[in-house]
């Protein structure tokens, strides 16, 4: 999955496919890989795992505190 907002992209998938896609994009465009998603458009993202399995948690605490 590729999520695009203006000039920002989030690429999701299994690691080999993501790496292959990034390498293909680099052949045509200059890109900056910022690593694992931590924050995008004011949303904080947390990846982790616990006894129930792998999870993805999102929050907008900073935005909510401004209201």
């Amino acid at each position: 999955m590729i999520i695009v907002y203006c000039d920002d992209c989030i690429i999701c998938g299994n690691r080999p496919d993501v790496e292959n896609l990034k390498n293909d994009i680099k052949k045509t465009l200059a890109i900056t890989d910022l690593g694992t998603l931590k924050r995008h458009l004011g949303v904080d993202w947390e990846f982790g795992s616990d006894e129930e399995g792998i999870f993805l948690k999102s929050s907008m605490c900073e935005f909510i505190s401004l209201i």
Side-chain angles (χ1 to χ4, degrees), residues 8-36:
D8 293 333
C9 296
I10 300 171
I11 303 173
C12 306
N14 64 49
R15 190 166 303 277
D17 289 342
V18 169
E19 291 302 320
N20 288 335
L21 178 58
K22 289 190 301 187
N23 289 331
D24 287 344
I25 293 170
K26 287 177 186 178
K27 293 175 185 174
T28 308
L29 302 169
I31 66 171
T32 303
D33 184 350
L34 300 177
T36 302

Side-chain angles (χ1 to χ4, degrees), residues 1-5 8-12 40:
M1 178 183 344
I2 302 173
I3 302 164
V4 179
Y5 180 80
D8 293 333
C9 296
I10 300 171
I11 303 173
C12 306
H40 187 257

